[in-house]
Amino acid sequence: MPGIGVITNPKAKKNIKRPWIRDSLQRIVGDSGWVYETRSIDELPALAYEFIEKGIDILAVNGGDGTTHATLTNFIPVYRDKGMPLPKLLSLKGGTMNTISKSIKHKGRGEGILTSVVQKYKEGKEIQHIRQPVLKINEKYGFMWGYGIAGNFLEHYYKGTVLGRWQAFKVAARLISSAVFQTSMAKEVFGIHPTVMEVDGHVMEMPDCRAIVVCSIKEVGLGVKLAYRAYEKPGHVHIRGTTLSPIK
């Protein structure tokens, strides 16, 4: 019998403080589906095959952007090999920034979102959804990808013990100070990364590349709408790159 399949990542930021979340989600789903707690990415391909066998209609992910990207990366090839369409994707916002949900204005808490969807599913009511393009970068799938400055900034951001706007502000402040005094942090973050990128068969060479961001959603985190043209043309993505440096 078809149903709702929920994947919950106990290592996601919000879930670490909620060891009981799996049981809570299972109570909400009831006999309308299944809840799986995954502790390793290696478990995902087998889960994809199980979801196909069960005829899952809705794939709910209780984790952050990283969990969603890992799930898509492991599920899409399995579903494609079986000639099956991917279930509708539902984010339960269990991560730190939950950028994907924020970009599409998906409001509410995870348990509340799932409760609403389960109720409509049981009653056979229409569940509102949108068509969201997915990126394929090499063999990984997701909604946003960053290289150079973007990735370097996030490396410093995730070193913080408490993540959020305050941590982003502290990293930005340290970067500004480093740029002013020409210390190693700014040179590392804003360094040159020679790049050759192929997009749909078109090769782009950027020997002085400092940053590239590719997104199918507007936000890249913390409310920053760097890919503001992502929804401008259906089926397309927004690519931004620069060779400019804020330091000399």
Side-chain angles (χ1 to χ4, degrees), residues 97-146:
M97 294 192 287
N98 302 303
T99 306
I100 300 164
S101 294
K102 290 177 181 176
S103 188
I104 62 175
K105 309 301 180 186
H106 192 198
K107 299 179 180 180
R109 298 171 63 89
E111 293 96 320
I113 292 170
L114 185 60
T115 298
S116 175
V117 169
V118 169
Q119 187 63 37
K120 290 180 179 179
Y121 188 82
K122 285 182 176 179
E123 296 174 358
K125 293 182 178 179
E126 181 182 357
I127 299 173
Q128 186 179 6
H129 64 278
I130 65 169
R131 295 188 65 84
Q132 174 63 56
V134 176
L135 300 174
K136 181 183 180 184
I137 306 294
N138 296 328
E139 296 304 318
K140 296 184 182 295
Y141 294 87
F143 301 105
M144 55 184 176
W145 177 80

Coordinates of all heavy atoms in Angstrom, one line a residue, residues 97-146:
M97 N 20.0 25.8 9.0 CA 19.5 26.9 8.3 C 18.3 26.6 7.5 O 17.5 27.5 7.2 CB 20.6 27.4 7.3 CG 21.8 28.0 8.0 SD 23.0 28.9 7.0 CE 23.8 27.6 6.1
N98 N 18.1 25.4 7.1 CA 16.9 25.0 6.3 C 16.7 25.9 5.1 O 15.6 26.4 4.9 CB 15.7 24.9 7.2 CG 15.9 23.9 8.4 OD1 16.2 22.8 8.2 ND2 15.8 24.4 9.6
T99 N 17.7 26.2 4.4 CA 17.7 27.1 3.3 C 16.7 26.8 2.2 O 16.0 27.7 1.7 CB 19.1 27.2 2.6 OG1 20.1 27.5 3.6 CG2 19.1 28.3 1.6
I100 N 16.5 25.6 1.9 CA 15.6 25.2 0.9 C 14.2 25.6 1.3 O 13.4 26.2 0.5 CB 15.7 23.7 0.6 CG1 17.1 23.3 0.1 CG2 14.6 23.2 -0.4 CD1 17.4 21.8 0.2
S101 N 13.8 25.3 2.5 CA 12.4 25.6 2.9 C 12.2 27.1 3.0 O 11.1 27.6 2.6 CB 12.2 25.0 4.3 OG 12.2 23.6 4.3
K102 N 13.2 27.8 3.4 CA 13.1 29.3 3.5 C 12.9 29.9 2.1 O 12.2 30.9 2.0 CB 14.2 29.9 4.3 CG 14.2 29.5 5.8 CD 15.5 30.1 6.5 CE 15.5 29.7 8.0 NZ 16.7 30.1 8.6
S103 N 13.7 29.3 1.2 CA 13.7 29.9 -0.2 C 12.3 29.8 -0.8 O 11.9 30.7 -1.6 CB 14.7 29.2 -1.0 OG 14.8 29.9 -2.3
I104 N 11.6 28.7 -0.5 CA 10.2 28.6 -1.1 C 9.1 29.0 -0.2 O 7.9 28.7 -0.4 CB 10.0 27.1 -1.6 CG1 10.0 26.1 -0.4 CG2 11.0 26.7 -2.6 CD1 9.7 24.7 -0.7
K105 N 9.5 29.7 0.9 CA 8.5 30.2 1.9 C 7.7 29.1 2.5 O 6.5 29.3 2.7 CB 7.6 31.3 1.2 CG 8.3 32.3 0.4 CD 9.3 33.1 1.3 CE 10.0 34.2 0.5 NZ 11.0 34.9 1.3
H106 N 8.4 28.0 2.8 CA 7.7 26.9 3.5 C 7.7 27.1 5.0 O 8.7 26.9 5.6 CB 8.4 25.6 3.1 CG 7.6 24.4 3.5 ND1 8.2 23.1 3.6 CD2 6.3 24.2 3.8 CE1 7.3 22.2 3.9 NE2 6.1 22.9 4.1
K107 N 6.6 27.6 5.6 CA 6.6 28.0 7.0 C 6.1 26.8 7.9 O 5.4 25.9 7.4 CB 5.7 29.2 7.1 CG 6.3 30.4 6.4 CD 5.4 31.6 6.5 CE 6.0 32.8 5.8 NZ 5.1 34.0 5.9
G108 N 6.3 27.0 9.2 CA 5.8 26.0 10.1 C 7.0 25.1 10.7 O 8.1 25.1 10.2
R109 N 6.6 24.4 11.8 CA 7.6 23.5 12.4 C 7.4 22.1 11.8 O 6.4 21.8 11.3 CB 7.4 23.5 13.9 CG 7.6 24.8 14.6 CD 7.2 24.8 16.1 NE 7.9 23.8 16.8 CZ 9.1 24.1 17.5 NH1 9.6 25.3 17.4 NH2 9.7 23.2 18.2
G110 N 8.5 21.3 11.9 CA 8.4 20.0 11.3 C 7.3 19.1 11.6 O 6.6 18.6 10.7
E111 N 7.0 19.0 12.9 CA 5.9 18.1 13.3 C 4.5 18.7 12.8 O 3.6 17.9 12.4 CB 5.8 18.0 14.9 CG 7.0 17.3 15.5 CD 8.1 18.2 15.9 OE1 8.4 19.2 15.2 OE2 8.7 17.9 17.0
G112 N 4.4 20.0 12.9 CA 3.1 20.6 12.4 C 3.0 20.4 10.9 O 1.9 20.1 10.4
I113 N 4.1 20.6 10.1 CA 4.0 20.4 8.7 C 3.6 18.9 8.4 O 2.7 18.7 7.5 CB 5.4 20.7 8.1 CG1 5.7 22.2 8.2 CG2 5.4 20.2 6.6 CD1 7.1 22.5 7.8
L114 N 4.2 18.0 9.0 CA 3.9 16.6 8.8 C 2.5 16.2 9.2 O 1.8 15.5 8.5 CB 4.9 15.7 9.5 CG 4.8 14.2 9.3 CD1 5.0 13.9 7.8 CD2 5.8 13.4 10.1
T115 N 2.0 16.8 10.3 CA 0.6 16.5 10.7 C -0.4 17.0 9.7 O -1.3 16.3 9.4 CB 0.4 17.2 12.1 OG1 1.3 16.7 13.1 CG2 -1.1 17.0 12.5
S116 N -0.1 18.2 9.1 CA -1.0 18.7 8.1 C -1.0 17.8 6.9 O -2.1 17.6 6.3 CB -0.6 20.1 7.8 OG -1.4 20.7 6.7
V117 N 0.2 17.4 6.4 CA 0.3 16.6 5.2 C -0.4 15.2 5.4 O -1.1 14.7 4.6 CB 1.7 16.5 4.8 CG1 1.9 15.4 3.7 CG2 2.3 17.8 4.3
V118 N -0.1 14.6 6.6 CA -0.7 13.3 6.9 C -2.2 13.4 6.9 O -2.9 12.5 6.3 CB -0.2 12.7 8.2 CG1 -1.0 11.5 8.6 CG2 1.3 12.4 8.1
Q119 N -2.8 14.4 7.5 CA -4.2 14.6 7.6 C -4.8 14.7 6.1 O -5.8 14.0 5.8 CB -4.6 15.8 8.4 CG -6.1 16.0 8.7 CD -6.7 14.8 9.5 OE1 -6.0 14.3 10.4 NE2 -7.9 14.4 9.2
K120 N -4.2 15.5 5.3 CA -4.7 15.7 3.9 C -4.6 14.4 3.1 O -5.4 14.0 2.3 CB -4.0 16.8 3.2 CG -4.4 18.2 3.8 CD -3.6 19.3 3.0 CE -4.0 20.7 3.6 NZ -3.2 21.7 2.9
Y121 N -3.5 13.7 3.4 CA -3.2 12.4 2.7 C -4.3 11.4 3.0 O -4.8 10.7 2.2 CB -1.8 11.9 3.1 CG -1.4 10.7 2.3 CD1 -0.8 10.9 1.0 CD2 -1.5 9.4 2.8 CE1 -0.3 9.8 0.3 CE2 -1.1 8.3 2.1 CZ -0.5 8.5 0.8 OH -0.1 7.4 0.1
K122 N -4.6 11.3 4.3 CA -5.6 10.3 4.8 C -7.0 10.7 4.2 O -7.8 9.8 3.8 CB -5.7 10.4 6.3 CG -4.6 9.7 7.0 CD -4.9 9.8 8.5 CE -3.8 9.0 9.3 NZ -4.0 9.1 10.8
E123 N -7.3 12.0 4.0 CA -8.6 12.4 3.6 C -8.7 12.5 2.0 O -9.7 12.8 1.5 CB -8.9 13.7 4.2 CG -9.1 13.7 5.7 CD -9.3 15.1 6.3 OE1 -9.3 16.1 5.5 OE2 -9.5 15.2 7.5
G124 N -7.5 12.2 1.4 CA -7.5 12.2 -0.1 C -7.6 13.6 -0.6 O -8.0 13.8 -1.8
K125 N -7.2 14.6 0.2 CA -7.3 16.0 -0.3 C -6.0 16.4 -1.0 O -5.0 15.8 -0.8 CB -7.5 17.0 0.9 CG -8.8 16.8 1.6 CD -8.9 17.8 2.8 CE -10.3 17.7 3.4 NZ -10.4 18.7 4.6
E126 N -6.1 17.4 -1.9 CA -5.0 17.9 -2.6 C -3.9 18.5 -1.7 O -4.2 19.3 -0.8 CB -5.4 18.9 -3.7 CG -4.2 19.4 -4.5 CD -4.6 20.5 -5.5 OE1 -5.8 20.8 -5.6 OE2 -3.8 21.0 -6.2
I127 N -2.7 18.1 -1.9 CA -1.6 18.6 -1.1 C -0.8 19.6 -2.0 O -0.3 19.2 -3.1 CB -0.6 17.5 -0.6 CG1 -1.4 16.6 0.3 CG2 0.6 18.1 0.1 CD1 -0.6 15.3 0.7
Q128 N -0.8 20.8 -1.7 CA -0.2 21.9 -2.5 C 1.3 21.6 -2.7 O 2.0 21.2 -1.7 CB -0.3 23.2 -1.9 CG 0.2 24.4 -2.7 CD 0.0 25.7 -2.1 OE1 -0.5 25.8 -1.0 NE2 0.3 26.8 -2.8
H129 N 1.8 21.7 -3.9 CA 3.2 21.5 -4.1 C 3.7 22.4 -5.3 O 2.9 23.0 -6.0 CB 3.5 20.0 -4.5 CG 2.8 19.6 -5.8 ND1 1.5 19.2 -5.9 CD2 3.3 19.5 -7.1 CE1 1.2 18.9 -7.1 NE2 2.3 19.1 -7.9
I130 N 5.0 22.5 -5.4 CA 5.6 23.2 -6.5 C 6.6 22.4 -7.3 O 7.1 21.4 -6.7 CB 6.4 24.5 -6.0 CG1 7.6 24.1 -5.1 CG2 5.4 25.4 -5.2 CD1 8.5 25.3 -4.8
R131 N 6.9 22.7 -8.5 CA 8.0 22.0 -9.3 C 9.3 22.8 -9.0 O 9.4 24.0 -9.3 CB 7.6 22.0 -10.8 CG 6.4 21.2 -11.1 CD 6.2 21.0 -12.6 NE 7.2 20.3 -13.2 CZ 7.3 18.9 -13.2 NH1 6.3 18.2 -12.6 NH2 8.3 18.3 -13.8
Q132 N 10.3 22.0 -8.5 CA 11.5 22.6 -8.1 C 12.7 22.0 -8.9 O 12.9 20.8 -8.7 CB 11.7 22.5 -6.6 CG 13.1 23.0 -6.1 CD 13.3 24.4 -6.4 OE1 12.5 25.3 -5.9 NE2 14.4 24.8 -7.1
P133 N 13.4 22.7 -9.8 CA 14.5 22.1 -10.5 C 15.6 21.6 -9.5 O 15.8 22.2 -8.5 CB 15.0 23.2 -11.4 CG 13.8 24.2 -11.5 CD 13.1 24.1 -10.2
V134 N 16.3 20.5 -9.9 CA 17.3 20.0 -9.1 C 18.6 20.1 -9.9 O 18.7 19.9 -11.1 CB 17.1 18.5 -8.8 CG1 18.2 17.9 -8.0 CG2 15.8 18.4 -7.9
L135 N 19.7 20.4 -9.2 CA 21.0 20.5 -9.8 C 21.7 19.2 -9.8 O 21.5 18.4 -8.8 CB 21.9 21.5 -9.1 CG 21.5 23.0 -8.9 CD1 22.5 23.7 -8.0 CD2 21.4 23.6 -10.3
K136 N 22.5 18.9 -10.8 CA 23.4 17.7 -10.8 C 24.8 18.3 -11.0 O 25.2 18.7 -12.0 CB 23.1 16.7 -11.9 CG 24.0 15.5 -11.8 CD 23.7 14.5 -12.9 CE 24.6 13.3 -12.8 NZ 24.5 12.4 -14.0
I137 N 25.6 18.2 -9.9 CA 27.0 18.7 -10.0 C 27.9 17.4 -9.8 O 27.9 16.8 -8.8 CB 27.3 19.6 -8.8 CG1 26.3 20.8 -8.8 CG2 28.7 20.1 -8.9 CD1 26.4 21.7 -10.0
N138 N 28.5 17.0 -10.9 CA 29.2 15.8 -11.0 C 28.2 14.7 -10.8 O 27.2 14.5 -11.5 CB 30.4 15.7 -10.1 CG 31.5 16.8 -10.5 OD1 31.6 17.1 -11.7 ND2 32.2 17.3 -9.5
E139 N 28.3 13.9 -9.7 CA 27.3 12.8 -9.4 C 26.5 13.2 -8.2 O 25.9 12.3 -7.6 CB 28.1 11.5 -9.2 CG 28.8 11.0 -10.5 CD 27.9 10.9 -11.7 OE1 26.7 10.5 -11.5 OE2 28.3 11.3 -12.8
K140 N 26.4 14.4 -7.8 CA 25.7 14.8 -6.6 C 24.5 15.7 -7.0 O 24.6 16.4 -8.0 CB 26.6 15.5 -5.6 CG 27.7 14.7 -5.0 CD 28.5 15.5 -4.0 CE 29.6 14.6 -3.4 NZ 29.2 13.4 -2.7
Y141 N 23.4 15.5 -6.3 CA 22.2 16.3 -6.6 C 21.8 17.2 -5.4 O 22.0 16.9 -4.2 CB 21.0 15.3 -6.8 CG 21.1 14.4 -8.0 CD1 21.8 13.2 -8.0 CD2 20.6 14.9 -9.3 CE1 22.0 12.5 -9.2 CE2 20.7 14.1 -10.4 CZ 21.4 12.9 -10.3 OH 21.6 12.1 -11.5
G142 N 21.2 18.3 -5.8 CA 20.8 19.3 -4.7 C 20.2 20.5 -5.4 O 19.9 20.5 -6.5
F143 N 20.1 21.6 -4.6 CA 19.5 22.8 -5.0 C 20.5 24.0 -5.0 O 20.2 25.0 -5.6 CB 18.3 23.1 -4.2 CG 17.3 22.1 -4.1 CD1 17.1 21.2 -3.0 CD2 16.4 21.9 -5.2 CE1 16.2 20.2 -3.0 CE2 15.5 20.9 -5.2 CZ 15.3 20.0 -4.1
M144 N 21.7 23.8 -4.5 CA 22.6 24.9 -4.5 C 24.0 24.3 -4.3 O 24.2 23.3 -3.7 CB 22.4 25.9 -3.3 CG 22.3 25.2 -2.0 SD 21.8 26.4 -0.7 CE 21.7 25.4 0.7
W145 N 25.0 25.0 -4.9 CA 26.4 24.6 -4.9 C 27.3 25.8 -4.9 O 27.0 26.8 -5.6 CB 26.7 23.7 -6.1 CG 28.1 23.3 -6.3 CD1 28.7 22.2 -5.6 CD2 29.1 23.9 -7.1 NE1 30.0 22.1 -6.0 CE2 30.3 23.1 -7.0 CE3 29.1 24.9 -8.0 CZ2 31.4 23.4 -7.7 CZ3 30.2 25.2 -8.7 CH2 31.4 24.5 -8.5
G146 N 28.3 25.8 -4.1 CA 29.2 27.0 -4.1 C 30.6 26.5 -4.1 O 31.0 25.4 -3.6

